[in-house]
Amino acid sequence: MKRINVTEPFLPPFEEYVDYMKGIWERNWLTNQGPLVQELEQKLQAYHGLTMPVHCVANGSLGLQIALKALGIKGEVITTPFSYVATTACPIWEGCTVKFADIEPDTLTIDPKAVEATITSQTEAILATHVFGNPCDCEALEAITNKHGLALIFDAAHAFGVTFNGKSVLGYGDASMVSLHATKLFHTVEGGFIVSKDAAVSEKMEWMRRFGHKGQDEFHGVGMNAKLSEFHAAMGLCNLNHIDEILEKRKVICDAYDKALPSHQSSAINYQLSSIVYRKGASRNYAYYPVLFQSESELLDAIVRFEANGIYPSRYFYPSLNRLTKSFKMQSRELALSENVASRILCLPLAASIDDVGVERVVRQLKRY
Ligand SMILES: *Cc1c(COP(=O)(O)O)cnc(C)c1O
């Protein structure tokens, strides 16, 4: 039985990557803002319909750290407990103090009302995740950060290509980071990009990722090394040529799962298995396919059954990040909604490489509910 994993990286045809390698060999320009990185930045900017520049970085986590640094955030950051661990670790790594605010139980994004209730005189920024590519309540968060004079940063690691109210979701807030890691929808093996519509912040991001260089021997300030290499950019350029096909394949799989979910088939109130709520006005990028069970024990039973059939879904995201307070040496705080969701959510296999037979095997399991 062929193993079906929660995700599989997309690989372009080998020859297409080799073609880019020939150019790299001819130029012998391997990193330091080479022509392929520049081309990728332009194409990502155009793809997202942005007017602000796109700054590629070595990975999304460094991108988040640079965004915090460029915005001058050093103190208290309010963030979501329902995300990947990097959303919490990056501000802590930057010396910030992290406070959690609970999530909306249907969209799973941070709840603006909970955010406002968590703000203190020490708060400097909100760091919110468009989790599973589902946009946060961006307008409400912007209203809060404007009212309190705070920075608004989006962890848009999952939000490649997502539009909200007809425009790229990356246009909201003061800065956004998209991850281009191998497991993401669109990738450069390792990589990411950051944007800010504030020209001064954007300029800082640009030099902070490459040691602060202002020409050869002058410096804008303290920088670090978060450069994307030409080899990574080449993977991005190859994959970008296949993005429509990747999205179409993922959509077909999601449509099949949608149809198989009991909540789509019956009018019973208590579904054993249900989908999350995608925010109105948002496009779906099919980055993940999360389903909610009614309880953790049902989820654990389901995992056993999936695995017995060679299917390996993943508990994204578990545990709720406020439960990691011991590792992070933070004060713990109960967050009922995020902890509840984290205990009973499962991401189903979703990758362009899963064939019809694979999809049918997952669907057969879903139909048991
Ligand atoms: C993947 C991910 C990151 C980290 O991105 P990297 O490119 O792997 O460093 C941050 N936040 C979220 C929500 C992620 O899923």
Side-chain angles (χ1 to χ4, degrees):
M1 205 165 26
K2 199 173 153 227
R3 196 185 154 100
I4 307 174
N5 292 316
V6 66
T7 188
E8 274 172 23
F10 177 83
L11 277 174
F14 187 59
E15 304 69 42
E16 292 177 21
Y17 192 67
V18 170
D19 274 345
Y20 280 104
M21 294 302 100
K22 285 182 189 140
I24 295 179
W25 257 255
E26 277 159 26
R27 288 184 296 273
N28 197 10
W29 187 350
L30 311 188
T31 186
N32 291 350
Q33 272 323 87
L36 298 183
V37 170
Q38 291 177 42
E39 185 181 338
L40 181 63
E41 289 182 339
Q42 278 157 20
K43 287 188 169 164
L44 290 174
Q45 185 189 30
Y47 184 82
H48 289 86
L50 300 171
T51 47
M52 58 191 164
V54 159
H55 307 299
C56 281
V57 285
N59 60 63
S61 303
L62 286 170
L64 263 189
Q65 287 171 231
I66 289 175
L68 288 160
K69 200 72 121 202
L71 285 160
I73 308 302
K74 301 190 189 84
E76 193 176 282
V77 176
I78 297 175
T79 187
T80 175
F82 190 72
S83 186
Y84 181 58
V85 66
T87 315
T88 300
C90 291
I92 295 178
W93 194 274
E94 283 302 309
C96 301
T97 310
V98 165
K99 269 197 176 173
F100 294 109
D102 215 342
I103 57 170
E104 299 175 345
D106 50 358
T107 65
L108 315 188
T109 55
I110 200 165
D111 182 347
K113 288 191 290 297
V115 167
E116 195 150 31
T118 310
I119 292 172
T120 67
S121 58
Q122 306 297 306
T123 308
E124 294 181 13
I126 314 289
L127 171 55
T129 301
H130 302 306
V131 72
F132 304 135
N134 196 20
C136 297
D137 189 344
C138 299
E139 276 121 2
L141 291 174
E142 282 189 339
I144 290 168
T145 49
N146 287 339
K147 180 172 146 198
H148 295 270
L150 308 175
L152 178 57
I153 304 169
F154 286 109
D155 179 334
H158 304 167
F160 184 91
V162 170
T163 60
F164 186 37
N165 299 326
K167 295 180 311 211
S168 169
V169 76
L170 306 178
Y172 289 93
D174 298 296
S176 292
M177 172 282 284
V178 179
S179 168
L180 303 180
H181 181 257
T183 56
K184 305 305 205 255
L185 165 72
F186 168 81
H187 76 93
T188 57
V189 186
E190 290 276 0
F193 70 89
I194 44 179
V195 292
S196 174
K197 54 185 187 251
D198 179 325
V201 173
S202 176
E203 200 204 314
K204 275 190 186 162
M205 289 172 160
E206 198 285 310
W207 57 255
M208 280 181 168
R209 68 181 164 160
R210 44 176 196 91
F211 296 116
H213 270 289
K214 185 181 187 178
Q216 187 70 20
D217 37 37
E218 263 192 279
F219 294 89
H220 293 279
V222 179
M224 58 125 103
N225 184 0
K227 289 178 265 107
L228 191 73
S229 82
E230 290 291 276
F231 293 77
H232 293 86
M235 182 62 83
L237 289 167
C238 286
N239 288 346
L240 204 51
N241 286 332
H242 293 275
I243 189 68
D244 291 344
E245 166 199 332
I246 292 170
L247 290 172
E248 181 52 33
K249 284 201 173 139
R250 297 177 81 105
K251 180 181 186 308
V252 168
I253 297 170
C254 291
D255 288 348
Y257 291 170
D258 279 349
K259 271 206 279 182
L261 280 197
S263 49
H264 286 258
Q265 293 169 341
S266 77
S267 55
I269 295 165
N270 289 320
Y271 307 120
Q272 274 179 284
L273 200 58
S274 60
S275 176
I276 70 167
V277 171
Y278 290 91
R279 196 174 299 283
K280 203 164 158 275
S283 70
R284 275 181 73 178
N285 67 354
Y286 310 104
Y288 297 85
Y289 196 96
V291 287
L292 285 157
F293 288 83
Q294 283 198 327
S295 68
E296 183 165 30
S297 62
E298 284 179 41
L299 170 135
L300 295 173
D301 286 348
I303 291 176
V304 171
R305 260 183 268 150
F306 275 122
E307 291 188 357
N309 287 280
I311 300 162
Y312 292 83
S314 246
R315 293 189 76 178
Y316 295 154
F317 289 101
Y318 178 83
S320 181
L321 295 170
N322 58 306
R323 287 285 171 142
L324 298 177
T325 41
K326 230 173 118 194
S327 329
F328 292 154
K329 298 189 171 55
M330 297 162 60
Q331 288 232 299
S332 99
R333 180 174 168 215
E334 200 182 296
L335 293 164
L337 299 172
S338 177
E339 288 178 39
N340 177 282
V341 163
S343 74
R344 58 193 182 86
I345 196 161
L346 195 64
C347 279
L348 300 181
L350 181 53
S353 54
I354 302 176
D355 60 13
D356 294 351
V357 179
V359 174
E360 195 43 49
R361 274 169 59 197
V362 180
V363 162
R364 213 176 305 135
Q365 292 303 312
L366 292 178
K367 284 191 172 159
R368 302 171 62 145
Y369 293 94

